[in-house]
């Protein structure tokens, strides 16, 4: 007996719900029942994840893997050439999710602080040439023991570059780093603090539309009892979302990140919270890890896609 | 001409102020002008700082160095014997500032969580036998990815041991650990969170006088933008104060602590803030560092005293 229009409509309405249950079951039991093709439209390769590749290798790797986004690093871009990098990305159609990194504002003399500001302006120019809209800021560590003063230098440094960035169409994303990097890399150590800075800076520049925001990397913020409240507070100023995992024992302070699913972070919970806060941009996989760096990079992209599908979406 | 009583009194009032200036100058210029003997009445050796020593070695080392306090560890106490440890300390007159450590509450089954609670009760008995009034709690890491659930297990675990501790005269000091230990050692990662737990637990046990408090170790909390506000909030529930330093590059995730003055922490600022919050108890030096462990322990105590005088008091 053929289905009536009403039956058909009920059936169509039911299917997705049942489907979700199946997916949930398949996740829990690792029994494959039925799964939709994962949508990779937000997945971005931060090029440090495939450290041995130059910009062109990485762009072509993304093409082969069907990844629409790539996050670039200034040192890699300089190595391959700024114009060449821009050209390779443009021709491939791969979009550049962000450029890492500006920042590093605190220094122990006025002249050195000015040099850092000048370098940030160069980073902004590079970002504009590459055609990305986001410069990630790793704000810098301590020139001396005065942590409050260093934080003020960060605030003043960002203030000094906001107009320059806005004139070139570049948004500045403050990335809070894990507190273990507070002394030597970044005195901005919580999402709450990054939100405070971004909101205060935006209020200081009413002539621009949200020139400063935050970049949320799960590795740096996952431990924070306030993080989900701060994700909500960041609505409208989330300029980037980076993923990897926290593995134990931590292999290395700097190169200790794990592949998604190999560690302790509730990645899907973060992705859902960040989605719920209105962010629908690229999701960058950024992993510094010697073992992953030794893998054939195409295999890393393959694994990355699988884990993104299983752990994040 | 002899000084009048008024002159004398003015002179007596003036001296300390001038004296402070001299000390400040001597600190800045490292020119020795005049310095009072440092008061070591609060200085405590956490015995892990001199890792090669057993309890008796450490107690005798404190006697030789004129240190009035020692902080003991359960494994070292077990190795030397509980009664022997208690006896050696009692006979020396060295007071035990705290016993490390209880905690480690989260586990993936009810029965395993009960084992942890039982072990905390044994730790409380040991603390009572040793004659200290404080058990330091390192609350434990993740049994699985559910961080909120692990934090609830910590809360429930402490709840389960409060009456037992109170009946034996033992206070429980929650020590927030650095966020880099969140996965494997302690899901309590900020002083704010430790304060929340302690205040809520104390409210849950109105029959006792502040059974739960916090232990503040600068290594774990120095990076926190909220830490000085939280120190003020901890007034009345600060049960311990641990010092060392944060050195860069961090030599090791676990054994990476530095001697006071070798790193980035504003130790005097912390000591003054903690004093101002009403704490006047022992100040424990707790350093896990292979290089320091290889030094002759008497020399470590010597250096510790010098740095305590120069950097903390």
């Amino acid at each position: 007996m053929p289905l009536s229009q009403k039956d058909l409509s009920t059936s169509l309405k039911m299917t997705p719900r049942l489907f979700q249950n199946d997916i949930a079951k398949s996740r829990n039991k690792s029994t494959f029942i039925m799964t939709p093709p994962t949508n990779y439209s937000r997945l971005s390769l931060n090029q440090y994840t495939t450290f041995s590749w130059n910009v062109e290798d990485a762009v072509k790797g993304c093409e082969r893997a069907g990844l629409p986004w790539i996050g670039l690093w200034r040192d890699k871009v300089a190595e391959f050439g700024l114009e060449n990098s821009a050209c390779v990305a443009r021709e491939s159609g791969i979009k550049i999710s962000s450029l890492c990194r500006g920042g590093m504002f605190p220094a122990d003399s006025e002249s050195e602080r000015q040099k850092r500001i000048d370098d940030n302006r160069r980073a902004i120019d590079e970002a504009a040439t590459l055609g990305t809209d986001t410069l990630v800021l790793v704000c810098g560590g301590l020139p001396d023991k005065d942590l409050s003063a260093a934080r003020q230098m960060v605030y003043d440094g960002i203030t000094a570059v906001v107009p320059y960035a806005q004139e070139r169409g570049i948004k500045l994303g403050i990335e809070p780093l894990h507190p273990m990097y507070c002394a030597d890399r970044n005195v901005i150590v919580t999402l709450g603090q990054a939100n405070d800075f971004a909101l205060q800076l935006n209020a200081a520049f009413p002539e621009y539309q949200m020139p400063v925001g935050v970049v949320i990397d799960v590795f740096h913020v996952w431990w924070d009892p306030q993080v989900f409240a701060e994700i909500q507070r960041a609505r409208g100023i989330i300029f980037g979302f980076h993923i990897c995992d926290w593995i134990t024992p931590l292999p290395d302070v700097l190169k200790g990140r794990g592949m998604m699913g190999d560690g302790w972070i509730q990645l899907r919970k973060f992705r859902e919270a960040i989605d719920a806060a209105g962010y629908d941009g690229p999701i960058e996989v950024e992993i510094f890890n010697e073992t992953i760096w030794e893998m054939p990079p195409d295999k890393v992209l393959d694994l990355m896609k699988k884990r993104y599908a299983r752990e994040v979406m």
Side-chain angles (χ1 to χ4, degrees), chain A residues 52-71:
Chain A
S52 64
W53 271 349
N54 67 19
V55 172
E56 185 170 33
D57 296 335
V59 166
K60 291 192 182 306
C62 287
E63 278 191 295
R64 284 193 298 278
L67 261 55
W69 294 97
I70 190 165

Side-chain angles (χ1 to χ4, degrees), chain A residues 113-152:
Chain A
R113 286 194 291 279
Q114 188 55 51
K115 276 185 202 165
R116 309 289 180 98
I117 288 166
D118 295 341
D119 187 57
N120 274 275
R121 293 194 172 126
R122 279 193 295 277
I124 289 161
D125 288 333
E126 290 162 26
T129 302
L130 290 165
T132 180
D133 63 356
T134 305
L135 178 67
V136 177
L137 301 181
V138 172
C139 291
L142 292 169
D144 57 44
K145 294 192 192 194
D146 193 340
L147 187 49
S148 305
R151 286 170 171 158
Q152 186 61 48

Side-chain angles (χ1 to χ4, degrees), chain A residues 223-290:
Chain A
W223 52 269
D224 186 351
Q226 302 302 324
V227 70
F228 290 103
E230 292 294 339
I231 286 171
Q232 285 180 15
R233 197 172 149 235
R235 171 175 290 275
I237 55 163
I238 301 175
F239 292 175
F241 175 27
H242 292 189
I243 55 172
C244 67
D245 214 333
W246 183 278
I247 51 178
T248 49
L250 200 66
D252 185 84
V253 174
L254 197 55
K255 293 171 285 182
R257 303 183 185 204
M259 178 58 73
M260 295 86 75
D262 286 344
W264 295 97
I265 304 176
Q266 292 176 297
L267 290 162
R268 184 169 292 109
K269 185 174 175 184
F270 272 95
R271 199 263 305 153
E272 287 171 351
I274 289 170
D275 283 0
Y279 179 75
D280 59 4
I283 300 175
E284 266 187 46
V285 176
E286 187 181 50
I287 306 175
F288 309 162
N289 181 305
E290 298 277 6

Side-chain angles (χ1 to χ4, degrees), chain A residues 105-106 139-140 149-159 174 186-188 197 201:
Chain A
F105 296 106
C139 291
R151 286 170 171 158
Q152 186 61 48
M153 289 175 198
V154 169
Y155 190 88
D156 296 343
I158 301 176
T159 301
I174 301 174
N186 194 355
V187 293
I188 311 299
F197 270 57
L201 283 156

Side-chain angles (χ1 to χ4, degrees), chain A residues 83-95:
Chain A
E83 295 297 339
N84 286 345
S85 299
C87 182
V88 162
R90 203 165 43 237
E91 284 177 6
S92 71
I94 308 283
K95 295 163 285 183

